[in-house]
Amino acid sequence: MRKKRSAGKVVDTTITYILLIVVAFIFFFPCLWLILASFSKSGTIYSFEGFFPKEYSLASFQKLFTDTSMYNYPKWFFNTLFVAAGSCILGTFLTILTAYTMSRFEFRARKPIMKTTMVLGMFPSFMGMIAVYLLMTQFNLINHLWGLILIYSAGAPMGYLTQKGFFDTIPKAVDEAARIDGATNFQVFTKINLPLSKPIIVYTALTSFTWPWSDFILPKLLLKEKNLYTVAVGLMSLDETEFARFAAGSVFIAVPIVLLYFCLVKNMVNGMAAGAVKG
């Protein structure tokens, strides 16, 4: 009986691993294809032999950073970095403040605000693009990178529920003990709760950075001048004969965010797990 159970367990484990390998390959193959395409010597997708290039070269990466007369990739990269970094700093600040307020303070509008934000979160963000465009024209923020930063930062606190869940796990008795010792609300927040909130701050900063880093719709809507493009918009403006350069730009823009995930994944997982305990 034990041998049958053991054999069944081995078969079950083997099938599970085979399925996982197949699924992993399905998701990995497009990434592998894009990486190999970025090393294409011809530069165009029409010269591929099946799925893969016939000849390989580093010319696409060299051209990406040296041939900037029509497609200024370095400028696009720094535009993207500026927008993502600004949105990360301001968005993280606003989201943490919103989550802390909702978690630690009781006021009359608290429950209605929470219900309203949950309902609004059900609608996709692109539904408000026309309204956003009209507002940006009224404030003269079309063709301004700061306009993108303000929109991303203003939208970030809408996703505060995970952060609120994390603050809910910190005992309020700690706050009360600090207030008995004479600490103000600001001191309780900065000296006690923030040091205990490193995982959720890292998670919030990373998510606030990755959204503008890879977004296409909003920059395409608000940025009309080519030298103000982000990488996502700039790469989509490339000619179809520049596919190898497109692939090289896509691979290069993915490197920083992948490195960030690997460096911060531990704090990110801790923040998500703790934030999911209470809603």
Side-chain angles (χ1 to χ4, degrees), residues 85-99:
S87 303
C88 172
I89 295 169
L90 191 54
T92 300
F93 176 74
L94 293 175
T95 304
I96 293 298
L97 284 183
T98 303

Side-chain angles (χ1 to χ4, degrees), residues 1 12 30 63 139 151 156 215 218 223 234 267:
M1 192 70 178
D12 184 58
K63 193 177 179 182
F139 287 104
I151 294 174
D215 187 34
L218 200 56
L223 303 176
N267 287 314

